Amino acid sequence: MTDRSSTPDQQPPTKIDTTVPHSARIWNYWMGGKDNYEVDRIAGDEYREVAPNIETMARASRAYLIRSVTHVAGECGIRQFLDIGTGLPTYDNTHQVAQRVAPEARIVYVDNDPLVLRHAQALLTSTREGVTDYIDADLHEPERILEAAAKTLDFDRPIALMLMGILGHIQNYDEAVSIVRRLQAALPSGSYFVHYDSTDTDQALKQAQQGYDDTGAIPYVLRSVEQVSRFYEGLELIEPGIVSCPLWRPAPSETDIETTDVHGGVARKP
C-alpha cells in the first residue's frame, strides 16, 4: 500500500446522500456487489424492467476492462495506468489485472463519489513491486487530475489513460471532447487510451436512461457511436477498432457472443 498524504483515510469525511440513486452504486448492484442502498436497488430494478439487458452490459463492461488492461499491460508493455471514474471496487479492478501481468505496475485511481472514497482503501492494495494511489477529483478538472497523478506516475514514460463508462456524465458533448483532448495531450508518445461508454443504439436503453435521469440523479448521456469515435481522433486504433465491448478481442473459446450497447476501444498515441 502506498504511504501518501492524499490517501483516502486522511480526507475529511463527506456526507453520502442516500436519498438519490447514484450510478456507481447502481452499477455495483448490477455487478452483484453489496455497496449500495435501497434507493439504488429500486432505481436499478426499474431500469432493468425497461432495459432487461443492462446487467449483461455491466458484466460485459467489466470483462472488457479485464481483457483490455491485460492486453495493454502484456502485449503493449504499459506499466502505468490512470483510471478516471473508478467506481466502486468489485472484482478484477484495474490494479489487480495489471499487476497480475506486471507486478511493478503503478495505478492511480480517480473518482469524486464519497462512497467510492470511503471504500478506496480496497483499491489501495498493491504488490510490493508496484504502487496504487487514489485521487479525490472531478473529471471536469483534468488539469488538477494530471497535477495530482504526477506525484505517482512518470509523465515522461507511457501511460494508459482509462475512461471507462464515465464520459456520459459530461453532459455537454463539446466539453467532453475538450476534456479528453486535454488529458491525452499530457501523455507522452507510446501511451494508450482505453475507453468505453454506453451508446444510444437501443430504444429500450434510451427509455430506461431517461427514467433514471428523471429521478434527480446525475444524468448520463447516451451518445452515438460516431460521437464516441471522436474521442479517438489523432490516435492509432488497435484492432478491431471501436466495437461493442464483447467483440473486443474475445477469448478464442468464446462463441455465440451477445453484443451490447456499450462501445469502446484501445488506441495508441503516436
PDB file of all heavy atoms in Angstrom, residues 235-267:
ATOM      1  N   LEU A 235      -5.383   9.361 -32.740  1.00  0.00           N
ATOM      2  CA  LEU A 235      -4.751   8.185 -32.154  1.00  0.00           C
ATOM      3  C   LEU A 235      -4.770   7.025 -33.136  1.00  0.00           C
ATOM      4  O   LEU A 235      -5.538   7.025 -34.109  1.00  0.00           O
ATOM      5  CB  LEU A 235      -5.470   7.779 -30.863  1.00  0.00           C
ATOM      6  CG  LEU A 235      -5.619   8.856 -29.783  1.00  0.00           C
ATOM      7  CD1 LEU A 235      -6.372   8.305 -28.590  1.00  0.00           C
ATOM      8  CD2 LEU A 235      -4.270   9.417 -29.367  1.00  0.00           C
ATOM      9  N   GLU A 236      -3.956   6.012 -32.876  1.00  0.00           N
ATOM     10  CA  GLU A 236      -3.885   4.819 -33.714  1.00  0.00           C
ATOM     11  C   GLU A 236      -4.704   3.705 -33.063  1.00  0.00           C
ATOM     12  O   GLU A 236      -4.292   3.138 -32.048  1.00  0.00           O
ATOM     13  CB  GLU A 236      -2.429   4.384 -33.875  1.00  0.00           C
ATOM     14  CG  GLU A 236      -1.547   5.437 -34.529  1.00  0.00           C
ATOM     15  CD  GLU A 236      -0.066   5.099 -34.433  1.00  0.00           C
ATOM     16  OE1 GLU A 236       0.288   4.164 -33.676  1.00  0.00           O
ATOM     17  OE2 GLU A 236       0.734   5.762 -35.118  1.00  0.00           O
ATOM     18  N   LEU A 237      -5.853   3.427 -33.644  1.00  0.00           N
ATOM     19  CA  LEU A 237      -6.721   2.400 -33.076  1.00  0.00           C
ATOM     20  C   LEU A 237      -6.109   1.013 -33.229  1.00  0.00           C
ATOM     21  O   LEU A 237      -5.559   0.664 -34.271  1.00  0.00           O
ATOM     22  CB  LEU A 237      -8.088   2.422 -33.757  1.00  0.00           C
ATOM     23  CG  LEU A 237      -9.116   3.408 -33.198  1.00  0.00           C
ATOM     24  CD1 LEU A 237     -10.265   3.575 -34.188  1.00  0.00           C
ATOM     25  CD2 LEU A 237      -9.639   2.929 -31.841  1.00  0.00           C
ATOM     26  N   ILE A 238      -6.221   0.215 -32.193  1.00  0.00           N
ATOM     27  CA  ILE A 238      -5.811  -1.189 -32.229  1.00  0.00           C
ATOM     28  C   ILE A 238      -6.999  -2.011 -32.721  1.00  0.00           C
ATOM     29  O   ILE A 238      -8.147  -1.731 -32.378  1.00  0.00           O
ATOM     30  CB  ILE A 238      -5.383  -1.656 -30.813  1.00  0.00           C
ATOM     31  CG1 ILE A 238      -4.103  -0.948 -30.387  1.00  0.00           C
ATOM     32  CG2 ILE A 238      -5.201  -3.158 -30.749  1.00  0.00           C
ATOM     33  CD1 ILE A 238      -3.668  -1.289 -28.991  1.00  0.00           C
ATOM     34  N   GLU A 239      -6.709  -3.009 -33.535  1.00  0.00           N
ATOM     35  CA  GLU A 239      -7.783  -3.882 -33.997  1.00  0.00           C
ATOM     36  C   GLU A 239      -8.497  -4.528 -32.814  1.00  0.00           C
ATOM     37  O   GLU A 239      -7.855  -4.871 -31.830  1.00  0.00           O
ATOM     38  CB  GLU A 239      -7.201  -4.982 -34.911  1.00  0.00           C
ATOM     39  CG  GLU A 239      -6.703  -4.469 -36.247  1.00  0.00           C
ATOM     40  CD  GLU A 239      -7.820  -3.946 -37.133  1.00  0.00           C
ATOM     41  OE1 GLU A 239      -8.979  -4.412 -36.956  1.00  0.00           O
ATOM     42  OE2 GLU A 239      -7.564  -3.086 -37.974  1.00  0.00           O
ATOM     43  N   PRO A 240      -9.811  -4.657 -32.873  1.00  0.00           N
ATOM     44  CA  PRO A 240     -10.704  -4.452 -34.012  1.00  0.00           C
ATOM     45  C   PRO A 240     -11.334  -3.058 -34.085  1.00  0.00           C
ATOM     46  O   PRO A 240     -12.367  -2.885 -34.723  1.00  0.00           O
ATOM     47  CB  PRO A 240     -11.793  -5.498 -33.736  1.00  0.00           C
ATOM     48  CG  PRO A 240     -11.903  -5.505 -32.243  1.00  0.00           C
ATOM     49  CD  PRO A 240     -10.496  -5.320 -31.738  1.00  0.00           C
ATOM     50  N   GLY A 241     -10.739  -2.060 -33.444  1.00  0.00           N
ATOM     51  CA  GLY A 241     -11.288  -0.712 -33.509  1.00  0.00           C
ATOM     52  C   GLY A 241     -12.318  -0.465 -32.426  1.00  0.00           C
ATOM     53  O   GLY A 241     -12.271  -1.060 -31.344  1.00  0.00           O
ATOM     54  N   ILE A 242     -13.259   0.425 -32.722  1.00  0.00           N
ATOM     55  CA  ILE A 242     -14.315   0.769 -31.770  1.00  0.00           C
ATOM     56  C   ILE A 242     -15.503  -0.145 -32.041  1.00  0.00           C
ATOM     57  O   ILE A 242     -16.147  -0.060 -33.095  1.00  0.00           O
ATOM     58  CB  ILE A 242     -14.723   2.242 -31.919  1.00  0.00           C
ATOM     59  CG1 ILE A 242     -13.500   3.150 -31.713  1.00  0.00           C
ATOM     60  CG2 ILE A 242     -15.831   2.600 -30.921  1.00  0.00           C
ATOM     61  CD1 ILE A 242     -13.712   4.573 -32.167  1.00  0.00           C
ATOM     62  N   VAL A 243     -15.798  -1.021 -31.102  1.00  0.00           N
ATOM     63  CA  VAL A 243     -16.817  -2.052 -31.302  1.00  0.00           C
ATOM     64  C   VAL A 243     -17.627  -2.224 -30.023  1.00  0.00           C
ATOM     65  O   VAL A 243     -17.267  -1.726 -28.957  1.00  0.00           O
ATOM     66  CB  VAL A 243     -16.168  -3.406 -31.679  1.00  0.00           C
ATOM     67  CG1 VAL A 243     -15.473  -3.320 -33.029  1.00  0.00           C
ATOM     68  CG2 VAL A 243     -15.192  -3.862 -30.599  1.00  0.00           C
ATOM     69  N   SER A 244     -18.736  -2.962 -30.138  1.00  0.00           N
ATOM     70  CA  SER A 244     -19.450  -3.401 -28.940  1.00  0.00           C
ATOM     71  C   SER A 244     -18.459  -4.179 -28.081  1.00  0.00           C
ATOM     72  O   SER A 244     -17.729  -5.040 -28.565  1.00  0.00           O
ATOM     73  CB  SER A 244     -20.632  -4.292 -29.336  1.00  0.00           C
ATOM     74  OG  SER A 244     -21.287  -4.799 -28.185  1.00  0.00           O
ATOM     75  N   CYS A 245     -18.403  -3.864 -26.794  1.00  0.00           N
ATOM     76  CA  CYS A 245     -17.311  -4.362 -25.946  1.00  0.00           C
ATOM     77  C   CYS A 245     -17.103  -5.883 -25.970  1.00  0.00           C
ATOM     78  O   CYS A 245     -15.947  -6.331 -25.954  1.00  0.00           O
ATOM     79  CB  CYS A 245     -17.515  -3.875 -24.517  1.00  0.00           C
ATOM     80  SG  CYS A 245     -17.062  -2.132 -24.318  1.00  0.00           S
ATOM     81  N   PRO A 246     -18.161  -6.708 -26.037  1.00  0.00           N
ATOM     82  CA  PRO A 246     -17.905  -8.146 -26.089  1.00  0.00           C
ATOM     83  C   PRO A 246     -17.144  -8.584 -27.345  1.00  0.00           C
ATOM     84  O   PRO A 246     -16.564  -9.679 -27.363  1.00  0.00           O
ATOM     85  CB  PRO A 246     -19.308  -8.754 -26.068  1.00  0.00           C
ATOM     86  CG  PRO A 246     -20.151  -7.735 -25.393  1.00  0.00           C
ATOM     87  CD  PRO A 246     -19.593  -6.419 -25.846  1.00  0.00           C
ATOM     88  N   LEU A 247     -17.125  -7.736 -28.380  1.00  0.00           N
ATOM     89  CA  LEU A 247     -16.428  -8.076 -29.618  1.00  0.00           C
ATOM     90  C   LEU A 247     -14.970  -7.647 -29.610  1.00  0.00           C
ATOM     91  O   LEU A 247     -14.238  -7.932 -30.561  1.00  0.00           O
ATOM     92  CB  LEU A 247     -17.142  -7.432 -30.814  1.00  0.00           C
ATOM     93  CG  LEU A 247     -18.586  -7.871 -31.051  1.00  0.00           C
ATOM     94  CD1 LEU A 247     -19.185  -7.106 -32.232  1.00  0.00           C
ATOM     95  CD2 LEU A 247     -18.668  -9.374 -31.296  1.00  0.00           C
ATOM     96  N   TRP A 248     -14.524  -6.958 -28.529  1.00  0.00           N
ATOM     97  CA  TRP A 248     -13.142  -6.516 -28.480  1.00  0.00           C
ATOM     98  C   TRP A 248     -12.269  -7.657 -27.976  1.00  0.00           C
ATOM     99  O   TRP A 248     -12.217  -7.948 -26.790  1.00  0.00           O
ATOM    100  CB  TRP A 248     -12.980  -5.283 -27.591  1.00  0.00           C
ATOM    101  CG  TRP A 248     -11.677  -4.573 -27.849  1.00  0.00           C
ATOM    102  CD1 TRP A 248     -11.465  -3.581 -28.747  1.00  0.00           C
ATOM    103  CD2 TRP A 248     -10.413  -4.841 -27.228  1.00  0.00           C
ATOM    104  NE1 TRP A 248     -10.137  -3.197 -28.737  1.00  0.00           N
ATOM    105  CE2 TRP A 248      -9.468  -3.959 -27.811  1.00  0.00           C
ATOM    106  CE3 TRP A 248      -9.983  -5.738 -26.255  1.00  0.00           C
ATOM    107  CZ2 TRP A 248      -8.126  -3.951 -27.443  1.00  0.00           C
ATOM    108  CZ3 TRP A 248      -8.642  -5.733 -25.883  1.00  0.00           C
ATOM    109  CH2 TRP A 248      -7.734  -4.842 -26.471  1.00  0.00           C
ATOM    110  N   ARG A 249     -11.590  -8.302 -28.925  1.00  0.00           N
ATOM    111  CA  ARG A 249     -10.634  -9.377 -28.633  1.00  0.00           C
ATOM    112  C   ARG A 249     -11.153 -10.420 -27.642  1.00  0.00           C
ATOM    113  O   ARG A 249     -10.526 -10.659 -26.594  1.00  0.00           O
ATOM    114  CB  ARG A 249      -9.319  -8.783 -28.146  1.00  0.00           C
ATOM    115  CG  ARG A 249      -8.686  -7.881 -29.205  1.00  0.00           C
ATOM    116  CD  ARG A 249      -7.291  -7.448 -28.829  1.00  0.00           C
ATOM    117  NE  ARG A 249      -6.726  -6.675 -29.939  1.00  0.00           N
ATOM    118  CZ  ARG A 249      -5.510  -6.846 -30.444  1.00  0.00           C
ATOM    119  NH1 ARG A 249      -4.711  -7.774 -29.967  1.00  0.00           N
ATOM    120  NH2 ARG A 249      -5.070  -6.096 -31.432  1.00  0.00           N
ATOM    121  N   PRO A 250     -12.294 -11.045 -27.956  1.00  0.00           N
ATOM    122  CA  PRO A 250     -12.784 -12.097 -27.062  1.00  0.00           C
ATOM    123  C   PRO A 250     -11.844 -13.293 -27.051  1.00  0.00           C
ATOM    124  O   PRO A 250     -11.051 -13.480 -27.986  1.00  0.00           O
ATOM    125  CB  PRO A 250     -14.146 -12.461 -27.661  1.00  0.00           C
ATOM    126  CG  PRO A 250     -14.007 -12.110 -29.113  1.00  0.00           C
ATOM    127  CD  PRO A 250     -13.129 -10.895 -29.154  1.00  0.00           C
ATOM    128  N   ALA A 251     -11.927 -14.104 -26.020  1.00  0.00           N
ATOM    129  CA  ALA A 251     -11.111 -15.318 -25.940  1.00  0.00           C
ATOM    130  C   ALA A 251     -11.511 -16.270 -27.053  1.00  0.00           C
ATOM    131  O   ALA A 251     -12.686 -16.302 -27.463  1.00  0.00           O
ATOM    132  CB  ALA A 251     -11.287 -15.986 -24.588  1.00  0.00           C
ATOM    133  N   PRO A 252     -10.574 -17.040 -27.595  1.00  0.00           N
ATOM    134  CA  PRO A 252     -10.894 -17.982 -28.677  1.00  0.00           C
ATOM    135  C   PRO A 252     -12.013 -18.950 -28.310  1.00  0.00           C
ATOM    136  O   PRO A 252     -12.753 -19.407 -29.187  1.00  0.00           O
ATOM    137  CB  PRO A 252      -9.575 -18.728 -28.902  1.00  0.00           C
ATOM    138  CG  PRO A 252      -8.521 -17.782 -28.416  1.00  0.00           C
ATOM    139  CD  PRO A 252      -9.136 -17.051 -27.275  1.00  0.00           C
ATOM    140  N   SER A 253     -12.160 -19.233 -27.023  1.00  0.00           N
ATOM    141  CA  SER A 253     -13.190 -20.182 -26.589  1.00  0.00           C
ATOM    142  C   SER A 253     -14.585 -19.574 -26.574  1.00  0.00           C
ATOM    143  O   SER A 253     -15.579 -20.295 -26.467  1.00  0.00           O
ATOM    144  CB  SER A 253     -12.850 -20.697 -25.185  1.00  0.00           C
ATOM    145  OG  SER A 253     -12.780 -19.611 -24.263  1.00  0.00           O
ATOM    146  N   GLU A 254     -14.663 -18.233 -26.679  1.00  0.00           N
ATOM    147  CA  GLU A 254     -15.960 -17.573 -26.626  1.00  0.00           C
ATOM    148  C   GLU A 254     -16.662 -17.678 -27.977  1.00  0.00           C
ATOM    149  O   GLU A 254     -16.138 -17.230 -28.996  1.00  0.00           O
ATOM    150  CB  GLU A 254     -15.800 -16.109 -26.226  1.00  0.00           C
ATOM    151  CG  GLU A 254     -15.285 -15.906 -24.812  1.00  0.00           C
ATOM    152  CD  GLU A 254     -15.223 -14.438 -24.446  1.00  0.00           C
ATOM    153  OE1 GLU A 254     -16.289 -13.790 -24.421  1.00  0.00           O
ATOM    154  OE2 GLU A 254     -14.108 -13.939 -24.191  1.00  0.00           O
ATOM    155  N   THR A 255     -17.839 -18.254 -27.970  1.00  0.00           N
ATOM    156  CA  THR A 255     -18.648 -18.376 -29.178  1.00  0.00           C
ATOM    157  C   THR A 255     -20.047 -17.830 -28.888  1.00  0.00           C
ATOM    158  O   THR A 255     -20.413 -17.613 -27.731  1.00  0.00           O
ATOM    159  CB  THR A 255     -18.739 -19.840 -29.618  1.00  0.00           C
ATOM    160  OG1 THR A 255     -19.298 -20.619 -28.542  1.00  0.00           O
ATOM    161  CG2 THR A 255     -17.359 -20.392 -29.984  1.00  0.00           C
ATOM    162  N   ASP A 256     -20.807 -17.605 -29.940  1.00  0.00           N
ATOM    163  CA  ASP A 256     -22.171 -17.056 -29.788  1.00  0.00           C
ATOM    164  C   ASP A 256     -22.160 -15.807 -28.910  1.00  0.00           C
ATOM    165  O   ASP A 256     -22.924 -15.676 -27.951  1.00  0.00           O
ATOM    166  CB  ASP A 256     -23.123 -18.107 -29.200  1.00  0.00           C
ATOM    167  CG  ASP A 256     -23.237 -19.346 -30.077  1.00  0.00           C
ATOM    168  OD1 ASP A 256     -23.232 -19.180 -31.312  1.00  0.00           O
ATOM    169  OD2 ASP A 256     -23.326 -20.453 -29.526  1.00  0.00           O
ATOM    170  N   ILE A 257     -21.287 -14.875 -29.254  1.00  0.00           N
ATOM    171  CA  ILE A 257     -21.132 -13.663 -28.451  1.00  0.00           C
ATOM    172  C   ILE A 257     -22.346 -12.760 -28.615  1.00  0.00           C
ATOM    173  O   ILE A 257     -22.799 -12.490 -29.731  1.00  0.00           O
ATOM    174  CB  ILE A 257     -19.854 -12.909 -28.870  1.00  0.00           C
ATOM    175  CG1 ILE A 257     -18.623 -13.772 -28.564  1.00  0.00           C
ATOM    176  CG2 ILE A 257     -19.757 -11.576 -28.155  1.00  0.00           C
ATOM    177  CD1 ILE A 257     -17.338 -13.201 -29.091  1.00  0.00           C
ATOM    178  N   GLU A 258     -22.874 -12.299 -27.485  1.00  0.00           N
ATOM    179  CA  GLU A 258     -24.005 -11.380 -27.490  1.00  0.00           C
ATOM    180  C   GLU A 258     -23.486  -9.952 -27.388  1.00  0.00           C
ATOM    181  O   GLU A 258     -22.831  -9.585 -26.411  1.00  0.00           O
ATOM    182  CB  GLU A 258     -24.941 -11.680 -26.311  1.00  0.00           C
ATOM    183  CG  GLU A 258     -26.157 -10.770 -26.240  1.00  0.00           C
ATOM    184  CD  GLU A 258     -27.035 -11.062 -25.040  1.00  0.00           C
ATOM    185  OE1 GLU A 258     -26.735 -12.010 -24.286  1.00  0.00           O
ATOM    186  OE2 GLU A 258     -28.034 -10.325 -24.851  1.00  0.00           O
ATOM    187  N   THR A 259     -23.753  -9.155 -28.404  1.00  0.00           N
ATOM    188  CA  THR A 259     -23.297  -7.772 -28.375  1.00  0.00           C
ATOM    189  C   THR A 259     -24.149  -6.954 -27.404  1.00  0.00           C
ATOM    190  O   THR A 259     -25.281  -7.328 -27.075  1.00  0.00           O
ATOM    191  CB  THR A 259     -23.350  -7.132 -29.767  1.00  0.00           C
ATOM    192  OG1 THR A 259     -24.701  -7.146 -30.242  1.00  0.00           O
ATOM    193  CG2 THR A 259     -22.450  -7.883 -30.743  1.00  0.00           C
ATOM    194  N   THR A 260     -23.580  -5.858 -26.923  1.00  0.00           N
ATOM    195  CA  THR A 260     -24.297  -4.972 -26.014  1.00  0.00           C
ATOM    196  C   THR A 260     -24.176  -3.542 -26.521  1.00  0.00           C
ATOM    197  O   THR A 260     -23.384  -3.243 -27.416  1.00  0.00           O
ATOM    198  CB  THR A 260     -23.706  -5.043 -24.590  1.00  0.00           C
ATOM    199  OG1 THR A 260     -22.381  -4.512 -24.615  1.00  0.00           O
ATOM    200  CG2 THR A 260     -23.669  -6.463 -24.073  1.00  0.00           C
ATOM    201  N   ASP A 261     -24.957  -2.660 -25.916  1.00  0.00           N
ATOM    202  CA  ASP A 261     -24.958  -1.254 -26.319  1.00  0.00           C
ATOM    203  C   ASP A 261     -23.922  -0.463 -25.525  1.00  0.00           C
ATOM    204  O   ASP A 261     -24.179   0.640 -25.024  1.00  0.00           O
ATOM    205  CB  ASP A 261     -26.357  -0.668 -26.152  1.00  0.00           C
ATOM    206  CG  ASP A 261     -27.358  -1.396 -27.034  1.00  0.00           C
ATOM    207  OD1 ASP A 261     -27.321  -1.192 -28.258  1.00  0.00           O
ATOM    208  OD2 ASP A 261     -28.152  -2.195 -26.498  1.00  0.00           O
ATOM    209  N   VAL A 262     -22.754  -1.048 -25.385  1.00  0.00           N
ATOM    210  CA  VAL A 262     -21.574  -0.394 -24.803  1.00  0.00           C
ATOM    211  C   VAL A 262     -20.461  -0.539 -25.818  1.00  0.00           C
ATOM    212  O   VAL A 262     -20.102  -1.658 -26.190  1.00  0.00           O
ATOM    213  CB  VAL A 262     -21.171  -1.040 -23.464  1.00  0.00           C
ATOM    214  CG1 VAL A 262     -19.960  -0.335 -22.895  1.00  0.00           C
ATOM    215  CG2 VAL A 262     -22.313  -0.995 -22.479  1.00  0.00           C
ATOM    216  N   HIS A 263     -19.935   0.573 -26.277  1.00  0.00           N
ATOM    217  CA  HIS A 263     -18.877   0.531 -27.289  1.00  0.00           C
ATOM    218  C   HIS A 263     -17.581   1.108 -26.725  1.00  0.00           C
ATOM    219  O   HIS A 263     -17.582   2.039 -25.943  1.00  0.00           O
ATOM    220  CB  HIS A 263     -19.298   1.331 -28.529  1.00  0.00           C
ATOM    221  CG  HIS A 263     -20.289   0.621 -29.392  1.00  0.00           C
ATOM    222  ND1 HIS A 263     -21.600   0.426 -28.993  1.00  0.00           N
ATOM    223  CD2 HIS A 263     -20.159   0.045 -30.613  1.00  0.00           C
ATOM    224  CE1 HIS A 263     -22.229  -0.240 -29.957  1.00  0.00           C
ATOM    225  NE2 HIS A 263     -21.390  -0.482 -30.937  1.00  0.00           N
ATOM    226  N   GLY A 264     -16.477   0.528 -27.156  1.00  0.00           N
ATOM    227  CA  GLY A 264     -15.195   1.007 -26.692  1.00  0.00           C
ATOM    228  C   GLY A 264     -14.069   0.543 -27.587  1.00  0.00           C
ATOM    229  O   GLY A 264     -14.278  -0.150 -28.591  1.00  0.00           O
ATOM    230  N   GLY A 265     -12.871   0.938 -27.214  1.00  0.00           N
ATOM    231  CA  GLY A 265     -11.706   0.550 -27.974  1.00  0.00           C
ATOM    232  C   GLY A 265     -10.436   0.940 -27.252  1.00  0.00           C
ATOM    233  O   GLY A 265     -10.466   1.578 -26.188  1.00  0.00           O
ATOM    234  N   VAL A 266      -9.325   0.559 -27.829  1.00  0.00           N
ATOM    235  CA  VAL A 266      -7.999   0.876 -27.296  1.00  0.00           C
ATOM    236  C   VAL A 266      -7.207   1.517 -28.426  1.00  0.00           C
ATOM    237  O   VAL A 266      -7.212   1.024 -29.555  1.00  0.00           O
ATOM    238  CB  VAL A 266      -7.275  -0.383 -26.779  1.00  0.00           C
ATOM    239  CG1 VAL A 266      -5.867  -0.044 -26.302  1.00  0.00           C
ATOM    240  CG2 VAL A 266      -8.082  -1.027 -25.647  1.00  0.00           C
ATOM    241  N   ALA A 267      -6.540   2.617 -28.137  1.00  0.00           N
ATOM    242  CA  ALA A 267      -5.785   3.333 -29.169  1.00  0.00           C
ATOM    243  C   ALA A 267      -4.456   3.815 -28.604  1.00  0.00           C
ATOM    244  O   ALA A 267      -4.332   4.124 -27.417  1.00  0.00           O
ATOM    245  CB  ALA A 267      -6.589   4.520 -29.700  1.00  0.00           C
TER     246      ALA A 267
END
